[in-house]
Amino acid sequence: MTLNLRRPVLIGGIGLSAALWLLESLQHSVSEMGETALIGLVAASAGYWWWQRQSPTLEFPLPEALANREAALKAIGAAESSINLLASEAPISESPAMLKAQLDRLTAELDRPDLRISVTGGKAVGKSTLIQVLNSHWTSQQPHKLTFQETTPLFSSTNTDAKISDDLVLFVTAGDITDSEFQVLSQLVFAGQRFLLVWNKQDQYLPAQQSQILHSLQEKMDGLLPKEDIIAIAANPNSLKVRQHQADGTISERMENPGTQIQPLTAKLTEILTAERQQLVWAHTVRGAGSVKQEAKTLLNAVRRDRAMPIIEQYQYIAAAAVFANPVAALDLLATTAISTQLVIDLGTIYQQKFSLDQAKTVAATLATQMLKLGLVELSTQTIAGLLKSNAVTFVAGGAVQGISAAYFTRIAGLSLVEYFQSRELETAVNSSFNIDQLTKTLQAVFQQNQQVSFLQSFINQMASRLAPPTSQPEPVNSALN
């Protein structure tokens, strides 16, 4: 790969680093080196206050805030903007057209009168029976078309996604809910999904037990679901044995099939359809448009990541070469700060973050500061030095540890920025301030993902081959160090 050094920040930073190192070599002045170190540290931490701003607090979406036509149109517009952005950066991809077709269907159905109701829950809770009973005793009486569909258990090992594409959800349970069921119900609340919690098969419990279970359900869902949306029914009650004393003193027995006990549910459904029908459709549109927007964002992030990775690799080689040539720690810091600053600018351009030079310096300094605070620098340097002990080439005893470490930290910084940018909302990413807490968490996660010994071995071998003199080839790091 050809290293692109035609960047003012790089030329100035690396050039100044080299000049100061030359001056240091000529003067052999310890005091001067201390002065230079102070300058480097000041440069690395300058402007830290700029990031100490209060970040906005995210709030859970509320169904009532989503259930209006204006919000639905706004969600469609936001999704369309994301699709257009994807199309502009990936013009040969078919994905934008496919996503646009999904969005067009949502727009066409914005004011539809019919509703789609999903019936879900665990195994053997009576989902199919409930749908049959509703279709037989209630659906045909409604003025508009209703479609019921059964979905797989949302909390099973094969289905961990709680998102539902229908307007209303009937979450069916055969008793008290489990922790996994509660987690799914919480996700439905978070997604703004309108649902009813339906306790089926209540006839299998004694009256006192029925009261206890219903109370337990209400307590567990307190703050997430109104009590009136927790309904007890018996879609297919068990047959009862009836004994009857005859006039002649004999006793006759017969089995009776009690009628379905779904009136509380049908009454609640009628109430919802009367008062919330159109709001349910609009809320569904908001969720659907949000899903399209998220898919567009995921595809766009993949495109941008493909463009970002070669840049990160380029700068990690530049950092390794610059630091390898400088034996003075303070000058290493000066060079890597300049390299990290230019990396921030270039990655920001890919993710439409227009950084000024001062802002880029602050971001680079923030990353360096957080690495030091988290102890990542010391830990990684020790690990890299330990792994390099198995490399027999003599040049590694000099600046290779510092050079490879600089490359590694440059890579971690670049990947952290990529992950951070990808987590931001597309419409709020441009010209928004940095969230230090989020950036720090991202940095920690990226470091953990790239701290495996197998990855470090491969990375060290790759970087050592770049730094090795032409006449000597470094031996691979011994995998026995695992």
Side-chain angles (χ1 to χ4, degrees), residues 179-199:
D179 290 340
S180 57
E181 289 175 306
F182 177 80
Q183 293 300 322
V184 173
L185 292 169
S186 299
Q187 291 180 54
L188 292 176
V189 173
F190 178 82
Q193 173 68 63
R194 184 75 165 94
F195 69 96
L196 299 178
L197 178 55
V198 181
W199 169 30

PDB file of all heavy atoms in Angstrom, residues 179-199:
ATOM      1  N   ASP A 179     -39.112 -15.026  33.467  1.00  0.00           N
ATOM      2  CA  ASP A 179     -38.206 -13.895  33.273  1.00  0.00           C
ATOM      3  C   ASP A 179     -37.977 -13.617  31.796  1.00  0.00           C
ATOM      4  O   ASP A 179     -37.913 -12.456  31.375  1.00  0.00           O
ATOM      5  CB  ASP A 179     -36.858 -14.166  33.960  1.00  0.00           C
ATOM      6  CG  ASP A 179     -36.962 -14.135  35.483  1.00  0.00           C
ATOM      7  OD1 ASP A 179     -37.944 -13.548  35.977  1.00  0.00           O
ATOM      8  OD2 ASP A 179     -36.073 -14.685  36.155  1.00  0.00           O
ATOM      9  N   SER A 180     -37.831 -14.681  30.993  1.00  0.00           N
ATOM     10  CA  SER A 180     -37.598 -14.477  29.558  1.00  0.00           C
ATOM     11  C   SER A 180     -38.814 -13.848  28.892  1.00  0.00           C
ATOM     12  O   SER A 180     -38.678 -12.989  28.013  1.00  0.00           O
ATOM     13  CB  SER A 180     -37.246 -15.805  28.883  1.00  0.00           C
ATOM     14  OG  SER A 180     -38.266 -16.769  29.094  1.00  0.00           O
ATOM     15  N   GLU A 181     -40.016 -14.249  29.321  1.00  0.00           N
ATOM     16  CA  GLU A 181     -41.223 -13.633  28.778  1.00  0.00           C
ATOM     17  C   GLU A 181     -41.297 -12.160  29.175  1.00  0.00           C
ATOM     18  O   GLU A 181     -41.687 -11.311  28.369  1.00  0.00           O
ATOM     19  CB  GLU A 181     -42.458 -14.382  29.288  1.00  0.00           C
ATOM     20  CG  GLU A 181     -42.632 -15.760  28.693  1.00  0.00           C
ATOM     21  CD  GLU A 181     -43.788 -16.511  29.325  1.00  0.00           C
ATOM     22  OE1 GLU A 181     -43.816 -16.635  30.572  1.00  0.00           O
ATOM     23  OE2 GLU A 181     -44.672 -16.971  28.577  1.00  0.00           O
ATOM     24  N   PHE A 182     -40.919 -11.853  30.405  1.00  0.00           N
ATOM     25  CA  PHE A 182     -40.936 -10.464  30.857  1.00  0.00           C
ATOM     26  C   PHE A 182     -39.975  -9.616  30.025  1.00  0.00           C
ATOM     27  O   PHE A 182     -40.276  -8.458  29.705  1.00  0.00           O
ATOM     28  CB  PHE A 182     -40.562 -10.388  32.340  1.00  0.00           C
ATOM     29  CG  PHE A 182     -40.487  -8.988  32.873  1.00  0.00           C
ATOM     30  CD1 PHE A 182     -41.652  -8.309  33.225  1.00  0.00           C
ATOM     31  CD2 PHE A 182     -39.269  -8.331  33.007  1.00  0.00           C
ATOM     32  CE1 PHE A 182     -41.602  -7.004  33.697  1.00  0.00           C
ATOM     33  CE2 PHE A 182     -39.207  -7.033  33.473  1.00  0.00           C
ATOM     34  CZ  PHE A 182     -40.373  -6.375  33.824  1.00  0.00           C
ATOM     35  N   GLN A 183     -38.821 -10.159  29.701  1.00  0.00           N
ATOM     36  CA  GLN A 183     -37.860  -9.415  28.888  1.00  0.00           C
ATOM     37  C   GLN A 183     -38.438  -9.093  27.513  1.00  0.00           C
ATOM     38  O   GLN A 183     -38.262  -7.988  26.985  1.00  0.00           O
ATOM     39  CB  GLN A 183     -36.568 -10.223  28.734  1.00  0.00           C
ATOM     40  CG  GLN A 183     -35.786 -10.396  30.025  1.00  0.00           C
ATOM     41  CD  GLN A 183     -35.355  -9.063  30.624  1.00  0.00           C
ATOM     42  OE1 GLN A 183     -34.982  -8.141  29.907  1.00  0.00           O
ATOM     43  NE2 GLN A 183     -35.407  -8.962  31.944  1.00  0.00           N
ATOM     44  N   VAL A 184     -39.135 -10.051  26.923  1.00  0.00           N
ATOM     45  CA  VAL A 184     -39.751  -9.814  25.613  1.00  0.00           C
ATOM     46  C   VAL A 184     -40.842  -8.758  25.709  1.00  0.00           C
ATOM     47  O   VAL A 184     -40.936  -7.860  24.874  1.00  0.00           O
ATOM     48  CB  VAL A 184     -40.323 -11.122  25.039  1.00  0.00           C
ATOM     49  CG1 VAL A 184     -41.108 -10.856  23.755  1.00  0.00           C
ATOM     50  CG2 VAL A 184     -39.195 -12.108  24.760  1.00  0.00           C
ATOM     51  N   LEU A 185     -41.656  -8.847  26.737  1.00  0.00           N
ATOM     52  CA  LEU A 185     -42.713  -7.854  26.928  1.00  0.00           C
ATOM     53  C   LEU A 185     -42.120  -6.458  27.127  1.00  0.00           C
ATOM     54  O   LEU A 185     -42.657  -5.468  26.618  1.00  0.00           O
ATOM     55  CB  LEU A 185     -43.579  -8.237  28.128  1.00  0.00           C
ATOM     56  CG  LEU A 185     -44.436  -9.502  27.952  1.00  0.00           C
ATOM     57  CD1 LEU A 185     -45.042  -9.932  29.279  1.00  0.00           C
ATOM     58  CD2 LEU A 185     -45.524  -9.277  26.923  1.00  0.00           C
ATOM     59  N   SER A 186     -41.008  -6.386  27.833  1.00  0.00           N
ATOM     60  CA  SER A 186     -40.342  -5.096  28.027  1.00  0.00           C
ATOM     61  C   SER A 186     -39.844  -4.540  26.695  1.00  0.00           C
ATOM     62  O   SER A 186     -39.913  -3.332  26.447  1.00  0.00           O
ATOM     63  CB  SER A 186     -39.168  -5.250  29.001  1.00  0.00           C
ATOM     64  OG  SER A 186     -39.615  -5.697  30.264  1.00  0.00           O
ATOM     65  N   GLN A 187     -39.336  -5.417  25.825  1.00  0.00           N
ATOM     66  CA  GLN A 187     -38.882  -4.982  24.506  1.00  0.00           C
ATOM     67  C   GLN A 187     -40.048  -4.462  23.664  1.00  0.00           C
ATOM     68  O   GLN A 187     -39.897  -3.504  22.899  1.00  0.00           O
ATOM     69  CB  GLN A 187     -38.195  -6.140  23.789  1.00  0.00           C
ATOM     70  CG  GLN A 187     -36.868  -6.549  24.407  1.00  0.00           C
ATOM     71  CD  GLN A 187     -36.231  -7.712  23.660  1.00  0.00           C
ATOM     72  OE1 GLN A 187     -36.034  -7.666  22.456  1.00  0.00           O
ATOM     73  NE2 GLN A 187     -35.928  -8.770  24.387  1.00  0.00           N
ATOM     74  N   LEU A 188     -41.196  -5.098  23.798  1.00  0.00           N
ATOM     75  CA  LEU A 188     -42.372  -4.625  23.073  1.00  0.00           C
ATOM     76  C   LEU A 188     -42.771  -3.231  23.530  1.00  0.00           C
ATOM     77  O   LEU A 188     -43.140  -2.373  22.725  1.00  0.00           O
ATOM     78  CB  LEU A 188     -43.540  -5.598  23.265  1.00  0.00           C
ATOM     79  CG  LEU A 188     -43.397  -6.983  22.628  1.00  0.00           C
ATOM     80  CD1 LEU A 188     -44.583  -7.862  23.000  1.00  0.00           C
ATOM     81  CD2 LEU A 188     -43.275  -6.880  21.118  1.00  0.00           C
ATOM     82  N   VAL A 189     -42.679  -3.008  24.839  1.00  0.00           N
ATOM     83  CA  VAL A 189     -42.969  -1.679  25.377  1.00  0.00           C
ATOM     84  C   VAL A 189     -41.985  -0.667  24.820  1.00  0.00           C
ATOM     85  O   VAL A 189     -42.363   0.426  24.368  1.00  0.00           O
ATOM     86  CB  VAL A 189     -42.925  -1.699  26.917  1.00  0.00           C
ATOM     87  CG1 VAL A 189     -43.061  -0.279  27.470  1.00  0.00           C
ATOM     88  CG2 VAL A 189     -44.036  -2.580  27.475  1.00  0.00           C
ATOM     89  N   PHE A 190     -40.711  -1.009  24.835  1.00  0.00           N
ATOM     90  CA  PHE A 190     -39.669  -0.106  24.354  1.00  0.00           C
ATOM     91  C   PHE A 190     -39.862   0.228  22.874  1.00  0.00           C
ATOM     92  O   PHE A 190     -39.611   1.352  22.441  1.00  0.00           O
ATOM     93  CB  PHE A 190     -38.289  -0.731  24.568  1.00  0.00           C
ATOM     94  CG  PHE A 190     -37.167   0.111  24.055  1.00  0.00           C
ATOM     95  CD1 PHE A 190     -36.674   1.154  24.816  1.00  0.00           C
ATOM     96  CD2 PHE A 190     -36.604  -0.131  22.821  1.00  0.00           C
ATOM     97  CE1 PHE A 190     -35.643   1.943  24.344  1.00  0.00           C
ATOM     98  CE2 PHE A 190     -35.573   0.653  22.336  1.00  0.00           C
ATOM     99  CZ  PHE A 190     -35.091   1.690  23.104  1.00  0.00           C
ATOM    100  N   ALA A 191     -40.319  -0.757  22.089  1.00  0.00           N
ATOM    101  CA  ALA A 191     -40.516  -0.555  20.653  1.00  0.00           C
ATOM    102  C   ALA A 191     -41.788   0.220  20.341  1.00  0.00           C
ATOM    103  O   ALA A 191     -42.055   0.527  19.184  1.00  0.00           O
ATOM    104  CB  ALA A 191     -40.541  -1.904  19.935  1.00  0.00           C
ATOM    105  N   GLY A 192     -42.590   0.531  21.367  1.00  0.00           N
ATOM    106  CA  GLY A 192     -43.840   1.244  21.117  1.00  0.00           C
ATOM    107  C   GLY A 192     -44.918   0.351  20.532  1.00  0.00           C
ATOM    108  O   GLY A 192     -45.834   0.828  19.867  1.00  0.00           O
ATOM    109  N   GLN A 193     -44.817  -0.948  20.776  1.00  0.00           N
ATOM    110  CA  GLN A 193     -45.780  -1.914  20.232  1.00  0.00           C
ATOM    111  C   GLN A 193     -46.993  -2.032  21.161  1.00  0.00           C
ATOM    112  O   GLN A 193     -46.844  -2.306  22.349  1.00  0.00           O
ATOM    113  CB  GLN A 193     -45.116  -3.278  20.075  1.00  0.00           C
ATOM    114  CG  GLN A 193     -46.056  -4.392  19.674  1.00  0.00           C
ATOM    115  CD  GLN A 193     -46.585  -4.224  18.275  1.00  0.00           C
ATOM    116  OE1 GLN A 193     -45.825  -4.238  17.314  1.00  0.00           O
ATOM    117  NE2 GLN A 193     -47.892  -4.067  18.140  1.00  0.00           N
ATOM    118  N   ARG A 194     -48.167  -1.803  20.630  1.00  0.00           N
ATOM    119  CA  ARG A 194     -49.410  -1.965  21.399  1.00  0.00           C
ATOM    120  C   ARG A 194     -49.679  -3.446  21.547  1.00  0.00           C
ATOM    121  O   ARG A 194     -49.666  -4.211  20.570  1.00  0.00           O
ATOM    122  CB  ARG A 194     -50.562  -1.286  20.654  1.00  0.00           C
ATOM    123  CG  ARG A 194     -51.893  -1.300  21.417  1.00  0.00           C
ATOM    124  CD  ARG A 194     -51.849  -0.291  22.552  1.00  0.00           C
ATOM    125  NE  ARG A 194     -53.189  -0.028  23.071  1.00  0.00           N
ATOM    126  CZ  ARG A 194     -53.728  -0.674  24.112  1.00  0.00           C
ATOM    127  NH1 ARG A 194     -53.059  -1.619  24.738  1.00  0.00           N
ATOM    128  NH2 ARG A 194     -54.936  -0.355  24.532  1.00  0.00           N
ATOM    129  N   PHE A 195     -49.934  -3.895  22.803  1.00  0.00           N
ATOM    130  CA  PHE A 195     -50.194  -5.318  23.014  1.00  0.00           C
ATOM    131  C   PHE A 195     -51.075  -5.517  24.235  1.00  0.00           C
ATOM    132  O   PHE A 195     -51.197  -4.646  25.102  1.00  0.00           O
ATOM    133  CB  PHE A 195     -48.887  -6.104  23.168  1.00  0.00           C
ATOM    134  CG  PHE A 195     -48.130  -5.814  24.438  1.00  0.00           C
ATOM    135  CD1 PHE A 195     -48.279  -6.632  25.560  1.00  0.00           C
ATOM    136  CD2 PHE A 195     -47.258  -4.745  24.514  1.00  0.00           C
ATOM    137  CE1 PHE A 195     -47.584  -6.370  26.724  1.00  0.00           C
ATOM    138  CE2 PHE A 195     -46.556  -4.472  25.683  1.00  0.00           C
ATOM    139  CZ  PHE A 195     -46.719  -5.292  26.792  1.00  0.00           C
ATOM    140  N   LEU A 196     -51.683  -6.691  24.278  1.00  0.00           N
ATOM    141  CA  LEU A 196     -52.451  -7.143  25.436  1.00  0.00           C
ATOM    142  C   LEU A 196     -51.788  -8.406  25.964  1.00  0.00           C
ATOM    143  O   LEU A 196     -51.324  -9.248  25.193  1.00  0.00           O
ATOM    144  CB  LEU A 196     -53.902  -7.450  25.054  1.00  0.00           C
ATOM    145  CG  LEU A 196     -54.743  -6.309  24.486  1.00  0.00           C
ATOM    146  CD1 LEU A 196     -56.135  -6.821  24.112  1.00  0.00           C
ATOM    147  CD2 LEU A 196     -54.845  -5.160  25.476  1.00  0.00           C
ATOM    148  N   LEU A 197     -51.723  -8.525  27.287  1.00  0.00           N
ATOM    149  CA  LEU A 197     -51.233  -9.745  27.914  1.00  0.00           C
ATOM    150  C   LEU A 197     -52.446 -10.613  28.245  1.00  0.00           C
ATOM    151  O   LEU A 197     -53.283 -10.240  29.072  1.00  0.00           O
ATOM    152  CB  LEU A 197     -50.439  -9.405  29.180  1.00  0.00           C
ATOM    153  CG  LEU A 197     -49.893 -10.595  29.986  1.00  0.00           C
ATOM    154  CD1 LEU A 197     -49.048 -11.517  29.125  1.00  0.00           C
ATOM    155  CD2 LEU A 197     -49.093 -10.097  31.191  1.00  0.00           C
ATOM    156  N   VAL A 198     -52.546 -11.755  27.578  1.00  0.00           N
ATOM    157  CA  VAL A 198     -53.730 -12.625  27.676  1.00  0.00           C
ATOM    158  C   VAL A 198     -53.352 -13.891  28.444  1.00  0.00           C
ATOM    159  O   VAL A 198     -52.554 -14.708  27.966  1.00  0.00           O
ATOM    160  CB  VAL A 198     -54.267 -12.983  26.277  1.00  0.00           C
ATOM    161  CG1 VAL A 198     -55.514 -13.855  26.405  1.00  0.00           C
ATOM    162  CG2 VAL A 198     -54.573 -11.717  25.482  1.00  0.00           C
ATOM    163  N   TRP A 199     -53.932 -14.048  29.627  1.00  0.00           N
ATOM    164  CA  TRP A 199     -53.728 -15.273  30.396  1.00  0.00           C
ATOM    165  C   TRP A 199     -54.822 -16.263  30.016  1.00  0.00           C
ATOM    166  O   TRP A 199     -55.975 -16.107  30.385  1.00  0.00           O
ATOM    167  CB  TRP A 199     -53.749 -14.959  31.892  1.00  0.00           C
ATOM    168  CG  TRP A 199     -53.799 -16.189  32.758  1.00  0.00           C
ATOM    169  CD1 TRP A 199     -53.271 -17.416  32.474  1.00  0.00           C
ATOM    170  CD2 TRP A 199     -54.429 -16.321  34.031  1.00  0.00           C
ATOM    171  NE1 TRP A 199     -53.521 -18.306  33.476  1.00  0.00           N
ATOM    172  CE2 TRP A 199     -54.215 -17.666  34.455  1.00  0.00           C
ATOM    173  CE3 TRP A 199     -55.123 -15.446  34.856  1.00  0.00           C
ATOM    174  CZ2 TRP A 199     -54.705 -18.132  35.665  1.00  0.00           C
ATOM    175  CZ3 TRP A 199     -55.609 -15.924  36.069  1.00  0.00           C
ATOM    176  CH2 TRP A 199     -55.399 -17.254  36.463  1.00  0.00           C
TER     177      TRP A 199
END
